[in-house]
Amino acid sequence: MAPIGERDRESLSLFVDEMRAMREQRGWSQAELGASAGYSESLIAMVETYQRAPTRTLALALDKAFGAPRTFERLEARLRDLPFAASFRPFATYEAQATALRWFEHSLVPGLLQTEGYARAVLSTRPNSTEADIDELVAGRMDRQAVLTREEPPPPLLWVLLDESVLHRPVAPACVMQEQLFHLNEAARLPNVTVNVVPYSAGGHSGLLGAFIIAELSGPTRIVFIEDASGGRVSEDPEVVSEVGLRFDALRSETLPTGASRDLIAKVATEKWNA
């Protein structure tokens, strides 16, 4: 997993420092804490070294293990100010370390391929958010995109499947939509990025049930992020990962060829979003 950004360490430090202090006070190793809380030693180590943001589930488990009701639950609640939605935070670090990403979207352009204007329009719909909150979320989304053009380690391969409706949904003014679709086509020409469109003619395909991302890490490890009404969830369960992988393959069989997909994106940008 990739390290948490420097600007997030300050937010995370109170949780991590308290966790480490309580563990050491009891004379526990990371393995012993993991066993007591029902987590692996490696996960405890990653949280203590800022390689993974703690989840609410972990916070509750630590409260129980240490006999400190609501201590870590309250500390974790303060992390909601990090520049990712709470449900996505655990997956963000997998995304940054992935060797390959397989992404399906039925409503929006994927975050890794969004322009700043489009991202701001999307994130501005977030309830109970101030302008400062939106600025932070947009900055976090833009920072994530560096993964596609980094030099070391090599950037992940990104396969994106988009329902055609994404190209037509007016989530921003016409000028922003046109800029976004042109940017999408430019990104699709990167050597590690492939974008295919699932056309309207595919009808009621299985992807309409929801968007998802599959992150492939070194070795056989695969993790999925599945969007839902509560924001989404991360799963490492092999059965869930396999099911989502099969859905991606089924959707890919419905897509237009890569060249035809780029032509369609350019056509919609020019004809529909000509501001």
Side-chain angles (χ1 to χ4, degrees), residues 210-223:
F212 57 83
I213 314 168
I214 306 170
E216 298 183 7
L217 302 160
S218 56
T221 305
R222 295 196 300 168
I223 315 291

Side-chain angles (χ1 to χ4, degrees), residues 26-191:
R26 285 160 176 75
W28 290 353
S29 65
Q30 292 175 338
E32 289 170 327
L33 173 56
S36 181
Y39 283 82
S40 67
E41 176 184 2
S42 62
L43 184 138
I44 298 298
M46 284 191 288
V47 171
E48 287 195 357
T49 55
Y50 299 96
Q51 295 181 69
R52 181 164 182 173
T55 63
R56 184 173 184 275
T57 303
L58 174 63
L60 295 174
L62 292 175
D63 281 343
K64 184 175 180 180
F66 288 126
R70 299 209 62 205
T71 297
F72 289 94
E73 181 184 2
R74 287 194 297 269
L75 292 174
E76 192 278 334
R78 297 183 183 182
L79 301 181
R80 308 294 165 78
D81 290 333
L82 292 180
F84 302 120
S87 58
F88 186 78
R89 281 202 308 266
F91 188 80
T93 48
Y94 290 121
E95 177 185 83
Q97 195 186 33
T99 57
L101 295 164
R102 302 177 192 274
W103 197 321
F104 170 73
E105 278 285 353
H106 64 318
S107 299
L108 301 168
V109 172
L112 289 183
L113 301 179
Q114 290 179 5
T115 63
E116 183 172 343
Y118 185 95
R120 185 170 297 280
V122 171
L123 293 168
S124 293
T125 63
R126 188 172 182 259
N128 301 318
S129 297
T130 66
E131 282 298 315
D133 292 334
I134 301 304
D135 288 344
E136 184 72 8
L137 289 167
V138 171
R141 184 158 295 183
M142 295 298 101
D143 287 349
R144 280 172 56 204
Q145 297 180 0
V147 70
L148 294 178
T149 54
R150 70 189 180 198
E151 295 183 3
E152 290 295 334
L157 298 175
L158 174 63
W159 285 278
V160 172
L161 307 183
L162 287 181
D163 187 86
E164 186 178 348
S165 63
V166 172
L167 310 180
H168 297 271
R169 180 164 287 106
V171 301
C175 59
V176 175
M177 291 299 301
Q178 185 177 69
E179 178 189 37
Q180 173 61 77
L181 296 194
F182 284 150
H183 175 74
L184 182 62
N185 251 355
E186 290 175 10
R189 296 182 184 279
L190 291 172

Side-chain angles (χ1 to χ4, degrees), residues 15 113 116 140 202 224 255:
F15 186 106
L113 301 179
E116 183 172 343
V224 299
T255 63

Side-chain angles (χ1 to χ4, degrees), residues 160-162 164 167 194-202 251-265:
V160 172
L161 307 183
L162 287 181
E164 186 178 348
L167 310 180
T194 302
V195 177
N196 293 101
V197 176
V198 182
Y200 284 139
S201 59
L251 287 166
R252 185 165 53 183
S253 71
E254 300 280 0
T255 63
L256 297 173
T258 302
S261 293
R262 287 202 298 261
D263 290 344
L264 177 59
I265 294 169

Side-chain angles (χ1 to χ4, degrees), residues 64 175 235 247 272:
K64 184 175 180 180
C175 59
S235 179
R247 182 170 296 179
K272 178 163 186 171

